[in-house]
Amino acid sequence: MSESKLAGQFFDAAISLLERVRDEESANVAAAGAAIAGAVAAGGRLFAFGAGHSSLAAQDVVYRAGGFAVMNLLAVPGVVGVDVMPATLGSALERVDGLASAVLESSPAAPGDVLVIISLSGRNALPVEMAMKARELGLKVIGVTSVAYATETSSRHLTGTYLKDHCDIVLDSRIAVGDAELTADGIEAPFAPASTVVTSALMQAMMAAAAEELVERGIEPPLLRSGNVDGGPEWNRRVMTEYGDRIFYRH
C-alpha cells in the first residue's frame, strides 16, 4: 500500500509547530518550570486543569511514568472529556459563570500552589474565571493557550478578557484559530488538529524544565517510574508515601 500524502502533511505540520514552540516559547517554558520547581521545593502542590480535549494534556502529566507524583488533576465534573451525554453538555458547562470558583473553593489548592490551566481558545468563562479565582486565592497560574484566539475571536467571559490576561506565565501553543492543519480537495471541512500534540509537548517540556531546576537546587524531583518495569511499583510506593500530603488522586 502506498504512503498517505495527507498523513505525511500532518506530520510535517505538527513537526513545524513543535519546532516553532521549542524556539519561540523556550523562555516561557523555562519560567514555568522554575515556578513549578519553586512550589515543589517550598512544599507546595501542583494542579492541572483542562476542559474538553484540553483535558488530555492535563491528564498526560498526572500519575504517569516519568511524571511528578505531586501533579494533581483539578477536575470539574462534566467537562473533563467526552464521557458525558450529550457531549455538547461539556461545552455548555465551559460557559457557566461561577462554576470555576465553586470548584476551586472546594479543592485542596492553597496559597503558594501552582495551577496550570489549559485552554486552546482561552475565551470561555470557565478557564478565565478559573485563572482569576486562583490568583485571588494566592495560587501561581500558568496558562497554556493559543494567543491568536484573543485577537481573532470574541471572549465569552463577562469581563471580555481571555485566559492569557490572568496568568503569571503564558505558554503560547501557536495553534491557528480553528485547530485544523489540513485542507484537501473533496473534503469540505478543514481537518487534522494538532493542538493535543503541541500542548502535550509544551506540558512535558515544562515538567522537564522543572526537574532540571530542582536538580540545580539539590532536590531530587518527585518522579514516578513505570509500574511495568522491575522495581517500578516499589519505587512509586516510596515516592507516594514521601509526598502523600501533596497527592490527591489516591487515598
Side-chain angles (χ1 to χ4, degrees):
M1 188 173 181
S2 62
E3 295 181 1
S4 168
K5 181 178 70 172
L6 291 178
Q9 288 179 3
F10 175 75
F11 278 116
D12 290 342
I15 290 168
S16 178
L17 281 164
L18 288 170
E19 290 177 336
R20 185 179 179 192
V21 296
R22 178 198 63 196
D23 297 340
E24 299 180 10
E25 292 300 306
S26 59
N28 293 326
V29 168
I36 288 170
V40 172
R45 290 79 59 85
L46 309 176
F47 298 89
F49 166 77
H53 285 93
S54 290
S55 72
L56 296 174
Q59 293 178 62
D60 192 45
V61 294
V62 177
Y63 184 53
R64 64 158 304 138
F68 278 38
V70 294
M71 178 62 83
N72 302 275
L73 185 69
L74 185 68
V76 177
V79 307
V80 171
V82 291
D83 56 340
V84 293
M85 294 183 65
T88 50
L89 173 61
S91 299
L93 288 173
E94 289 187 62
R95 305 174 191 179
V96 174
D97 293 326
L99 181 57
S101 293
V103 168
L104 275 171
E105 288 171 354
S106 62
S107 78
D113 292 346
V114 171
L115 172 60
V116 185
I117 301 176
I118 306 165
S119 174
L120 178 62
S121 71
R123 69 190 294 232
N124 287 314
L126 185 57
V128 174
E129 181 186 327
M130 183 81 73
M132 294 174 70
K133 183 64 176 181
R135 293 177 90 183
E136 179 185 317
L137 293 174
L139 279 71
K140 179 160 284 191
V141 177
I142 299 170
V144 187
T145 186
S146 172
V147 172
Y149 277 82
T151 58
E152 298 182 39
T153 68
S154 57
S155 170
R156 288 177 173 150
H157 190 261
L158 54 87
T159 61
T161 59
Y162 298 78
L163 170 61
K164 73 173 186 64
D165 300 318
H166 305 284
C167 298
D168 297 286
I169 302 165
V170 175
L171 305 184
D172 186 356
S173 65
R174 312 287 172 150
I175 297 294
V177 173
D179 192 19
E181 295 300 316
L182 302 182
T183 58
D185 292 340
I187 302 178
E188 294 299 318
F191 58 101
S195 61
T196 302
V197 173
V198 176
T199 303
S200 290
L202 278 169
M203 294 289 287
Q204 294 296 349
M206 175 185 70
M207 299 311 295
E212 181 180 21
E213 176 75 17
L214 283 170
V215 170
E216 291 176 354
R217 295 179 181 217
I219 300 171
E220 181 183 355
L223 294 169
L224 296 172
R225 291 180 180 267
S226 171
N228 295 313
V229 299
D230 292 343
E234 292 77 16
W235 171 282
N236 291 341
R237 278 195 292 272
R238 177 185 66 80
V239 172
M240 294 176 78
T241 298
E242 182 179 348
Y243 292 93
D245 61 336
R246 307 192 221 176
I247 296 172
F248 304 103
Y249 50 80
R250 59 168 294 181
H251 296 288

